[in-house]
Amino acid sequence: MSVMSKLKRAALATGTATLLAGTAVLATSGMASAATPHVFKLCAKGNYTAFASIPQQGGFATVLITPGHCQSLPVLSTTTYGDVWGLYNTGHHAKFLVGQVHFKAGAGWSGAAEGKTNSAHLVKLG
């Protein structure tokens, strides 16, 4: 393997480790706050578990977010969108679409999945 290949591999590994460490820190954020640049933050405020994915950002997704908690994801510099899903709180736990939000990564997005499973909706925070 050439020296250049080794340097590229080391840089990629360092960037991945930094991204994962940043995600772990962001995942502990509190309930309601204004948007932070390059961060997609979702809080679950309804009577159901929620999660989000950002398809244009490599398919990143939050873990399952139980009511009263939040999760954040880093986003790259571009205009993108996030899909927010809920899980029915019955035995089968099928998912349903709460909504889709379009935003600029440089501005970030902070919001909450609210309501009940039959009237779920998104609310922008901050």
Side-chain angles (χ1 to χ4, degrees):
M1 182 181 299
S2 72
V3 172
M4 190 57 104
S5 294
K6 287 180 182 176
L7 287 174
K8 286 180 182 177
R9 181 171 276 177
L12 180 60
T14 301
T16 301
T18 302
L19 179 63
L20 292 174
T23 301
V25 170
L26 292 172
T28 61
S29 9
M31 188 59 153
S33 63
T36 302
H38 301 286
V39 174
F40 178 91
K41 180 179 179 181
L42 177 66
C43 299
K45 293 175 125 182
N47 74 337
Y48 53 91
T49 296
F51 68 97
S53 65
I54 306 177
Q56 293 178 326
Q57 300 287 317
F60 282 124
T62 65
V63 296
L64 297 179
I65 308 166
T66 56
H69 294 91
C70 301
Q71 282 285 307
S72 297
L73 293 172
V75 290
L76 303 175
S77 56
T78 183
T79 298
T80 191
Y81 70 95
D83 292 322
V84 177
W85 301 90
L87 295 179
Y88 287 103
N89 45 20
T90 57
H92 58 75
H93 295 292
K95 71 179 183 178
F96 60 91
L97 183 64
V98 176
Q100 187 177 78
V101 59
H102 293 261
F103 64 99
K104 291 184 180 184
W109 187 83
S110 180
E114 294 188 344
K116 297 182 179 189
T117 56
N118 63 352
S119 62
H121 57 278
L122 288 175
V123 174
K124 187 173 180 178
L125 302 174

